[in-house]
Amino acid sequence: SLIGRLMFELPEEMGLIAVAVRQTQGKGRGGNVWLSPVGCALSTLHISIPLHSNLGQRIPFIQHLASLAVVEAVRSIPGYEDIELRVKWPNDIYYSDLMKLGGVLVNSTLIETTFHILIGFGFNVNNSNPTICINDLIAKFNREEGTELQPLSADCLIARTVTVLERLIEIFQEKGPNGVLPQYYKYWVHSGKQVRLRSEDGPLAWIVGIDDYGYLQVHQEGKAVESVHPDGNSFDMLRNLIVPK
């Protein structure tokens, strides 16, 4: 991809973002195809993270920070705090815990002592198909609450997401995971949820949170809390299962 080639040719301190109006060859996790119709906010952001930094030692956290940044981009606007936009571990943006309306994909390359990170994010802003979009949620909120919140534009939300993400990275670099986790938990869909491990009749476990490296922590009755790795497990929320891929 163009941005993948460009990122090594720019000065270190210069940021780079690519914004697509339409995307035809989007990639998702595990080789899934990501389809992106018009009305979807799509961009790929390049950032550099020193290996010997809080975040450099915990690279999986970047996808959580990016997902949180998308949600905060909307919910930090005065009046929009109660729009039901949430994060789903490890890298999805959801309407409540009902429907996916976006996602984040992170690619990292270590060169000497610097991680070059490409963060791709896409979320539905004003396209009701194929699922639901942020402006649908705003319209629904207006109907239910009698408010007159304006629809948001993809450009505005991409800009806000990048600004929020930069701030979250700064906080993480300064304070580590605990600097951002309270905010993350405020918006995530998993609080107090139970899941089954491995199969539909597998053992029940409670979701506890995420550990210092960004992996999901689950607690089975009578056992220690254990961490679940995202790449070896898919999280099927509809069936509340954590299953090995």
Side-chain angles (χ1 to χ4, degrees), residues 1-2 28 40 55 63 69 75 90 119 123-124 129 132 136 138 146 153-154 157 178 201 210 214 240 245:
S1 72
L2 175 64
C40 193
L55 196 48
Q63 61 191 333
R75 297 187 68 167
I119 304 170
F123 49 95
N124 299 336
N129 292 318
I132 194 170
D136 289 343
I138 294 168
S153 74
L157 286 179
N178 292 337
D201 45 12
I210 54 181
N240 261 5
K245 278 189 177 165

Side-chain angles (χ1 to χ4, degrees), residues 70-144:
V70 173
V71 172
E72 286 247 303
V74 175
R75 297 187 68 167
S76 62
I77 303 172
Y80 293 74
E81 297 91 346
D82 295 324
I83 302 295
E84 264 297 295
L85 204 56
R86 297 197 168 269
V87 290
K88 178 191 149 215
W89 181 92
N91 63 338
D92 289 334
I93 293 116
Y94 258 62
Y95 154 48
S96 182
D97 58 356
L98 300 170
M99 217 177 281
K100 177 173 172 169
L101 50 69
V104 169
L105 188 70
V106 174
N107 277 313
S108 57
T109 309
L110 181 62
I111 296 178
E112 292 172 358
T113 58
T114 304
F115 276 110
H116 287 268
I117 314 280
L118 284 178
I119 304 170
F121 54 88
F123 49 95
N124 299 336
V125 180
N126 50 16
N127 52 307
S128 300
N129 292 318
T131 57
I132 194 170
C133 66
I134 288 168
N135 284 337
D136 289 343
L137 301 189
I138 294 168
K140 176 178 183 289
F141 187 81
N142 283 338
R143 282 195 306 274
E144 291 170 359

Side-chain angles (χ1 to χ4, degrees), residues 53 191 220:
S53 66
S191 297
Q220 242 176 286

Side-chain angles (χ1 to χ4, degrees), residues 75-239:
R75 297 187 68 167
S76 62
I77 303 172
Y80 293 74
E81 297 91 346
D82 295 324
I83 302 295
E84 264 297 295
L85 204 56
R86 297 197 168 269
V87 290
K88 178 191 149 215
W89 181 92
N91 63 338
D92 289 334
I93 293 116
Y94 258 62
Y95 154 48
S96 182
D97 58 356
L98 300 170
M99 217 177 281
K100 177 173 172 169
L101 50 69
V104 169
L105 188 70
V106 174
N107 277 313
S108 57
T109 309
L110 181 62
I111 296 178
E112 292 172 358
T113 58
T114 304
F115 276 110
H116 287 268
I117 314 280
L118 284 178
I119 304 170
F121 54 88
F123 49 95
N124 299 336
V125 180
N126 50 16
N127 52 307
S128 300
N129 292 318
T131 57
I132 194 170
C133 66
I134 288 168
N135 284 337
D136 289 343
L137 301 189
I138 294 168
K140 176 178 183 289
F141 187 81
N142 283 338
R143 282 195 306 274
E144 291 170 359
E145 303 295 327
T147 46
E148 293 183 11
L149 299 176
Q150 293 304 300
L152 300 170
S153 74
D155 292 354
C156 153
L157 286 179
I158 289 171
R160 288 186 67 90
T161 297
V162 173
T163 305
V164 173
L165 179 58
E166 286 177 341
R167 180 84 192 101
L168 287 169
I169 289 171
E170 272 174 28
I171 295 169
F172 195 102
Q173 292 295 37
E174 197 185 316
K175 300 183 174 168
N178 292 337
V180 298
L181 279 176
Q183 205 59 0
Y184 184 78
Y185 290 142
K186 181 176 160 189
Y187 294 130
W188 87 329
V189 298
H190 309 294
S191 297
K193 293 271 170 79
Q194 270 191 321
V195 287
R196 294 224 174 244
L197 301 181
R198 295 180 284 283
S199 69
E200 289 195 30
D201 45 12
L204 265 179
W206 294 95
I207 293 180
V208 178
I210 54 181
D211 69 13
D212 270 0
Y213 293 92
Y215 302 138
L216 196 70
Q217 292 178 307
V218 295
H219 181 239
Q220 242 176 286
E221 196 98 4
K223 291 196 173 178
V225 171
E226 55 180 321
S227 291
V228 180
H229 201 289
D231 293 332
N233 297 274
S234 66
F235 194 171
D236 182 341
M237 218 161 114
L238 297 173
R239 295 187 303 162

